[in-house]
Amino acid sequence: MSTQAKRFGFGMPWESLYGYSQATQVGDTVYVSGQLSHDGHGNFVGAGDFELQVRTTLENLDLVLRQCGAERSQIVETTVLVRNLRENFDTTARLHAEYFGEHRPASTVMGISDLALPEQLVEIGALVRLDVKP
């Protein structure tokens, strides 16, 4: 018996341009693509402001979670890509901890040299288990 994949998107131009979904659900697992700092029209938010980029990126992660019927407490893993990691690590850690509170998913933070957009400083992906009790 095969399992159907359910895909979620916001209609952002890059979804079709790059051929991906914001999230894909297979069974009780939701794979959330790397989120970035943009508004509802696809305009980049927070050029030069790392904290604003992280906060907006996490707000976009919340949008994906809502679309999938999930909550933050069902995130079991995050992947955080950060430009200038040495400079931005403390802010990354503080905002990640603030976002999750007492819930502590597994997390990988990687310093990278570049991201998709020239002014982009952070990207956050997640793995969600819908069978985890919120």
Side-chain angles (χ1 to χ4, degrees):
M1 183 169 86
S2 66
T3 302
Q4 292 288 348
K6 185 175 179 184
R7 291 170 178 67
F8 302 90
F10 298 130
M12 293 291 120
W14 50 83
E15 292 170 15
S16 60
L17 180 65
Y18 295 109
Y20 78 101
S21 298
Q22 296 293 333
T24 300
Q25 178 183 342
V26 179
D28 286 330
T29 304
V30 180
Y31 303 87
V32 181
S33 294
Q35 298 299 299
L36 60 118
S37 183
H38 64 82
D39 65 17
H41 302 289
N43 301 307
F44 187 76
V45 172
D49 186 336
F50 183 76
E51 185 162 338
L52 178 58
Q53 285 192 35
V54 174
R55 289 187 183 284
T56 305
T57 298
L58 292 171
E59 288 171 8
N60 287 332
L61 178 54
D62 280 340
L63 290 175
V64 175
L65 293 175
R66 277 195 294 279
Q67 200 175 40
C68 299
E71 297 182 19
R72 290 178 188 179
S73 61
Q74 293 174 299
I75 295 175
V76 296
E77 181 180 27
T78 60
T79 302
V80 184
L81 308 176
V82 180
R83 285 180 55 192
N84 307 315
L85 182 60
R86 289 289 97 219
E87 175 184 329
N88 293 315
F89 181 78
D90 290 343
T91 302
T92 302
R94 177 174 53 82
L95 295 175
H96 191 273
E98 177 184 297
Y99 179 80
F100 284 104
E102 292 301 311
H103 175 62
R104 294 186 177 162
S107 184
T108 301
V109 179
M110 291 181 272
I112 55 167
S113 61
D114 218 352
L115 285 162
L117 302 176
E119 296 174 321
Q120 184 182 356
L121 301 172
V122 65
E123 186 166 317
I124 303 173
L127 182 63
V128 178
R129 290 293 307 207
L130 299 174
D131 56 346
V132 170
K133 298 283 184 217

